[in-house]
Amino acid sequence: MNSENELDDKARHIRQNELSVQELIECLDSKQIYIISNTMIRIVELKIKNILVIEKLRYLTRYMGARYTFAEGIGVGHFAMATLSILNTSDSLKAYHEILENLKEVDIQRIEKAIAILNDLTNTN
């Protein structure tokens, strides 16, 4: 996916719910923050709670550094943590709390902001 048009097309397919659950899950493996973030929003909206999603989100929580941020220091890893929290399954919450134990206060605050943003974007509470 080299061109900007391909990236925009992929994001549009994600936002318009034109991908299967399996295709959405595969989007979590993208190297593009734009694709990953749109995928997490769709996963929350569709309430996709399978173990593969949780494993991929858990992996994405590694990306909390400046290189992976969108705004105000909030990045892919913070949104992955927010998604784990919002999915609210025993597996997602277990992963969330295990990772949370080892984070700095600044990352915890960013995760809280990410949860609020995801809830606003997906109208879930």
Side-chain angles (χ1 to χ4, degrees), residues 27-114:
C27 287
L28 290 174
D29 294 325
S30 175
K31 301 295 181 212
Q32 300 292 330
I33 292 173
Y34 187 55
I35 297 300
I36 296 169
S37 61
N38 277 281
T39 301
M40 286 190 274
I41 292 166
R42 179 60 57 200
I43 284 170
V44 169
E45 288 173 337
L46 297 175
K47 298 175 176 58
I48 302 170
K49 300 178 178 187
N50 73 44
I51 194 69
L52 186 56
V53 167
I54 293 165
E55 288 172 6
K56 288 181 183 274
L57 290 168
R58 183 183 189 104
Y59 179 80
L60 289 170
T61 64
R62 300 171 191 220
Y63 300 107
M64 290 193 201
R67 179 177 174 200
Y68 308 101
T69 62
F70 303 110
E72 297 182 37
I74 300 170
V76 170
H78 302 103
F79 277 102
M81 285 290 286
T83 304
L84 286 169
S85 174
I86 292 169
L87 290 178
N88 197 29
T89 68
S90 61
D91 290 329
S92 71
L93 292 175
K94 179 181 177 194
Y96 175 84
H97 289 292
E98 285 174 0
I99 296 163
L100 197 67
E101 287 178 11
N102 299 310
L103 295 179
K104 298 174 187 168
E105 184 61 32
V106 67
D107 286 316
I108 293 169
Q109 291 171 357
R110 289 173 179 161
I111 291 164
E112 290 169 358
K113 286 181 185 176

